[in-house]
Amino acid sequence: MKKTGAWLVRYALEQIGVKHTFGIPGVHNTETYDELNRSEQIRPVLVTHEGGAAFMADAISRTSDNIGTLLIVPAAGATHAASGIGEAFLDGIAMLVISGGIRTDSDKTYQLHEMDQHALLAPITKKTYKIETHEQIIPAIYEAYQIARQGEPGPVFVEVPVNLQLFPGEVSQTPPFVADSQETRLDHKAIQQAAQKLYEADRPGLFIGWGAVDASEETVKIAEFLNAPVSTTLQGLSSFPANNPLHTGMSFGQAAVPAAENAFKNCDCMLAVGTRFSEIATASYGVNPPENLIHIDINKKVFGANYPAAVTIEGDAKAVLAELFKTLQALGAPKTDNGALKSAIKADKAAYFEEWFKHDSKDRVNPARFFVELRKQLDDDAIVVADDGNHTFLTAELMPIYSARGFISPTDFNCMGYCTPAVTAAKLVNPGKQVIGIIGDGAFLMTCMETLTASSLDLGGVYFVFNDGELSQIAQAQEIPYNRKTCTVLQEAKFKGVADATGCEFISIKDDAACEESIQRALAYAGQNKPVIVDVKIDYSKRTRFTKGMVKTNLERFSIGNKARFVSRALLRKVTG
Ligand SMILES: Cc1ncc(C[n+]2csc(CCOP(=O)(O)OP(=O)(O)O)c2C)c(N)n1
Ligand SMILES: [Mg+2]
C-alpha cells in the first residue's frame, strides 16, 4: 500500500498513545501538522518558543503516563529545543523528539535548515534516527518510544525528511503497537545481603531519588519496618511523602535541613534508591554515606561512580523494594524505639520553621510564611513545579510535598526557564489537580511567554514569581568573595505587563499579611481555568541550609593557598568596596 510519511507519523504516534505534541510548524513539517489536525486523539500545541516546547514535553512525561512529544522544524527548532532535551537527558525523563528534515530527493546543498542534527543531539539523547524510507517510519517511532522509556528513561530523536512526509511511498504493513514485555530479573542474593545489613544496622537510613518516585508505597513500608529516617534528593522530593513522620528533608549532610542532618548523623547503613549521587543531590559531594551503602538503581553505571557501595542491586525500584521488604519481614520483627526518632524529627522540623518565622523580612514576604500558607491551601495531590535558583531550595526546605510526582524541577542539567512552560503542560494533562509554579524572576523572564500558551488553552496554572530583582542563587555566591554583583542584578520588569500581554490574571503579594487572601484568590482564578501570574515580593535575606552548606563544603575543599587568596580578596574588597 502507499502512504504519505505524514500519515505514517500520525498513525505511529496515535498507536503509542500520544495525546499532545509541542512545537512550531515550518516548511519541513506542515504536512505532519496537517495530519495531526485531523487526528481525534492528538492535539498539536503551538508554543511561543521551542525551548518551552521541550520543557512542556518533559513535564508531560514527569506528571502523566504519556510520553512528552515534540514536533519541530530541523536545525533552528532543534537548537531552540536543545535546552529542554538536555534537561530530560540528564534528569532521566522520557521524551520523543520528531523533527522534519531537509529534502533527501534533491541534489542541492545549502538547503534551508541544513545541518547535522544528529551530531548536535547525540550527547543529549539515548538514540537518534534518520528516516530514509517510508517503510522505516512506523518501526522507528515504535522503537524510539520504547528506548525512551526503558531502563533509565531519556529523549530519543527521529528526523523525518520533508519529502517523505509530503509524498506517498510504499509500505508493506501498518502494524499496531505492541509493547515489548519488560521482565525484571531480581538479584535475590544481593537483596538478601541488603536486607541483612539493614536489619542488623543500629541506625539505618534511606536516601531516595526520582528513580524511586513510583515506589513510595514500598519505601514507606521499609522505612516504617526499620524505623529509619528518610531523606530525598532534590529531584526526588516527591518520592517520599513529607507528611510521613520518618521523612526528614532534602539531602543528609551539612547542606541538609536540621531534621535530616541530625537523623543521619550516625547512620551506619544507607539504602539509596534511584539516585546517582550527582552534584546537586549531594550538595557538591558534601555528604558522607556510610561504608555500608546499599545502592539500588536501574542504571548500573551509577554504582560506585561517586561513592563506593557495599551492595549494588540493578533493577526497577518498585520491584526490588517490594522483594526487599518481603525479605526484611522474614528476618524478624519490625524495629522500634518507642517513637524517639519520630519525635526528634518533628521537633527539628518545627524548630527550623520557627527560625524562619523569627527572621525579620521587614516589609517583604517571609518565605516560610508564604509556604506555610500555600501548603495550607493546596490539595494534597497538587503539583508543585520549581525553576532553578534560590527559590528552588527554599521550596525544597519549606514546602512539604505529599504525593508522588507532586514536585518537579530542572535538576542535573539545571536549566533556568523550565518552570513556566512546565506548569502549563502539567496543567494540560492534570486538569483535575492544582498546578502551581514557584519561579525566580530571572527564570520567568526567560520563558514567561508560555503563559500565553496557557491562556490560549484555558489552563488554570498559578505562576508564583519570586520577585527579588536578582539572579539570587548566583548573586548570593558573589556577595562574600567579590563584594559586588556583576550581571546578577536584574532590570526591573513589571510583571503585570506580562499578564496583560498574555491574557493572564495578575495578583501582587507585597507582605506576609497579603499571603492568605492573595493565594486564595489565585487558586480561585485557577479553578475557573484562568492562568494567574502572582508577583511575590519575596525576602531573600536569609540563606537556605543548602546554600550555606554547599559554600562551606566547597571552601573546605580549597587548598590553603587558594583559601588564603579568596579570603584576602574578600577582605580587601570589604574594606575598599
Ligand atoms: C540557562 C541557565 N543560565 C544560567 C544559569 C545559572 N544560574 C543558576 S541559578 C541562577 C539564578 C536564577 O535567578 P532567578 O530565576 O531570579 O532565581 P533566584 O535565584 O533569584 O530565586 C542562575 C543565573 C542556569 N542554571 N541556567
Ligand atoms: Mg531572582
Side-chain angles (χ1 to χ4, degrees):
M1 72 191 102
K2 285 202 158 195
K3 296 283 182 195
T4 66
W7 186 94
L8 294 164
V9 170
R10 162 163 78 98
Y11 174 80
L13 294 182
E14 283 176 347
Q15 283 291 312
I16 59 172
V18 170
K19 295 207 175 78
H20 303 95
T21 63
F22 300 90
I24 297 181
V27 292
H28 294 84
N29 63 15
T30 45
E31 196 68 19
T32 299
Y33 267 95
D34 199 60
E35 267 297 336
L36 293 187
N37 187 45
R38 302 207 318 225
S39 172
E40 285 183 4
Q41 177 184 317
I42 304 175
R43 177 171 196 172
V45 174
L46 172 64
V47 300
T48 62
H49 187 291
E50 289 90 346
F55 293 138
M56 289 185 190
D58 168 302
I60 298 288
S61 294
R62 290 194 209 218
T63 64
S64 78
D65 289 338
N66 241 248
I67 186 162
T69 305
L70 293 181
L71 181 57
I72 54 176
V73 300
T79 51
H80 269 21
S83 296
I85 300 171
E87 192 65 63
F89 183 72
L90 273 200
D91 288 0
I93 306 299
M95 186 184 283
L96 196 53
V97 185
I98 313 270
S99 100
I102 60 164
R103 297 192 76 114
T104 52
D105 59 352
S106 159
D107 61 355
K108 296 285 190 275
T109 186
Y110 302 118
Q111 289 186 42
L112 169 69
H113 295 323
E114 182 172 337
M115 72 170 280
D116 183 352
Q117 304 196 80
H118 304 267
L120 172 82
L121 296 175
I124 50 171
T125 50
K126 289 178 83 176
K127 186 166 177 169
T128 75
Y129 293 83
K130 186 166 182 181
I131 303 292
E132 285 167 357
T133 64
H134 288 80
E135 189 79 285
Q136 291 171 352
I137 293 176
I138 293 177
I141 290 178
Y142 288 176
E143 204 178 285
Y145 172 70
Q146 304 222 78
I147 290 174
R149 288 164 62 107
Q150 275 164 6
E152 185 178 314
V156 179
F157 175 67
V158 183
E159 174 179 333
V160 188
V162 59
N163 46 302
L164 297 189
Q165 292 175 54
L166 287 165
F167 309 126
E170 192 59 36
V171 285
S172 53
Q173 50 177 343
T174 56
F177 174 69
V178 183
D180 287 351
S181 63
Q182 258 183 298
E183 57 175 274
T184 331
R185 254 180 294 124
L186 292 173
D187 184 345
H188 290 281
K189 204 170 138 215
I191 292 173
Q192 183 69 38
Q193 258 181 320
Q196 208 91 36
K197 281 184 185 294
L198 284 164
Y199 198 72
E200 283 162 13
D202 290 326
R203 312 258 326 229
L206 275 61
F207 183 47
I208 308 296
W210 175 262
V213 74
D214 294 324
S216 53
E217 238 174 82
E218 288 75 11
T219 38
V220 166
K221 281 187 195 162
I222 291 173
E224 283 175 351
F225 184 84
L226 293 169
N227 187 46
V230 181
S231 88
T232 71
T233 62
L234 172 66
Q235 198 184 342
L237 222 54
S238 75
S239 298
F240 194 86
N243 46 1
N244 182 292
L246 290 165
H247 170 274
T248 60
M250 182 182 73
S251 200
F252 55 90
Q254 64 180 358
V257 288
E261 191 187 23
N262 293 335
F264 280 81
K265 231 168 221 161
N266 300 310
C267 174
D268 58 353
C269 181
M270 174 170 284
L271 175 64
V273 194
T275 172
R276 296 175 290 199
F277 289 94
S278 63
E279 183 164 3
I280 292 275
T282 58
S284 276
Y285 315 106
V287 298
N288 289 308
E291 223 170 89
N292 259 337
L293 173 63
I294 298 152
H295 199 171
I296 300 174
D297 204 283
I298 198 140
N299 178 4
K300 65 174 181 226
K301 283 196 198 144
V302 307
F303 298 143
N306 286 331
Y307 297 93
V311 181
T312 60
I313 309 171
E314 182 189 350
D316 172 69
K318 199 170 174 66
V320 175
L321 291 174
E323 188 61 25
L324 179 62
F325 179 59
K326 270 200 258 166
T327 316
L328 276 169
Q329 280 179 306
L331 292 179
K335 299 287 174 91
T336 171
D337 66 356
N338 296 320
L341 174 67
K342 290 178 184 171
S343 310
I345 293 171
K346 195 172 170 189
D348 279 345
K349 282 188 175 182
Y352 189 55
F353 272 89
E354 266 320 302
E355 185 187 307
W356 273 92
F357 292 153
K358 274 198 205 120
H359 179 74
D360 182 5
S361 288
K362 306 238 163 46
D363 46 4
R364 294 182 75 89
V365 177
N366 179 302
R369 296 271 176 218
F370 172 85
F371 281 116
V372 166
E373 190 54 48
L374 182 65
R375 183 66 277 174
K376 209 181 338 168
Q377 293 194 33
L378 277 190
D379 299 335
D380 283 7
D381 68 351
I383 296 173
V384 177
V385 187
D387 212 287
D388 171 48
N390 189 47
H391 60 279
T392 317
F393 301 104
L394 286 171
T395 310
E397 295 184 6
L398 301 171
M399 180 70 191
I401 303 296
Y402 298 155
S403 71
R405 295 180 182 267
F407 174 85
I408 61 172
S409 75
T411 312
D412 285 341
F413 197 73
N414 217 229
C415 196
M416 283 170 69
Y418 176 88
C419 186
T420 304
V423 167
T424 301
K427 186 65 190 175
L428 180 65
V429 288
N430 294 278
K433 290 184 184 173
Q434 293 167 322
V435 180
I436 68 111
I438 304 293
I439 317 165
D441 43 3
F444 190 62
L445 289 173
M446 289 185 174
T447 50
C448 60
M449 282 299 136
E450 296 308 346
T451 54
L452 182 64
T453 310
S455 67
S456 71
L457 297 170
D458 298 319
L459 300 173
V462 184
Y463 305 82
F464 289 104
V465 181
F466 275 22
N467 187 347
D468 72 313
E470 291 186 354
L471 300 169
S472 177
Q473 190 67 17
I474 306 305
Q476 286 182 7
Q478 289 172 321
E479 226 161 65
I480 294 174
Y482 306 119
N483 196 30
R484 60 200 63 164
K485 296 177 178 174
T486 308
C487 279
T488 50
V489 178
L490 294 165
Q491 304 296 332
E492 196 193 330
K494 296 189 173 60
F495 296 124
K496 165 100 173 43
V498 177
D500 289 343
T502 61
C504 292
E505 300 296 334
F506 180 78
I507 295 172
S508 170
I509 304 185
K510 293 205 168 71
D511 51 31
D512 293 348
C515 283
E516 184 181 357
E517 187 273 336
S518 302
I519 293 173
Q520 248 164 27
R521 204 146 43 93
L523 292 175
Y525 279 136
Q528 297 156 19
N529 306 322
K530 293 178 184 163
V532 200
I533 296 171
V534 186
D535 183 333
V536 186
K537 296 276 187 283
I538 198 82
D539 167 38
Y540 273 179
S541 61
K542 181 172 162 56
R543 301 284 178 267
T544 59
R545 291 277 302 200
F546 180 85
T547 297
K548 278 196 276 191
M550 199 176 56
V551 168
K552 214 163 146 228
T553 297
N554 280 312
L555 206 60
E556 281 164 3
R557 212 176 278 140
F558 277 20
S559 67
I560 293 175
N562 277 331
K563 223 182 265 179
R565 197 166 65 84
F566 270 77
V567 169
S568 51
R569 182 174 64 185
L571 289 174
L572 183 72
R573 289 205 177 171
K574 208 169 166 64
V575 176
T576 59

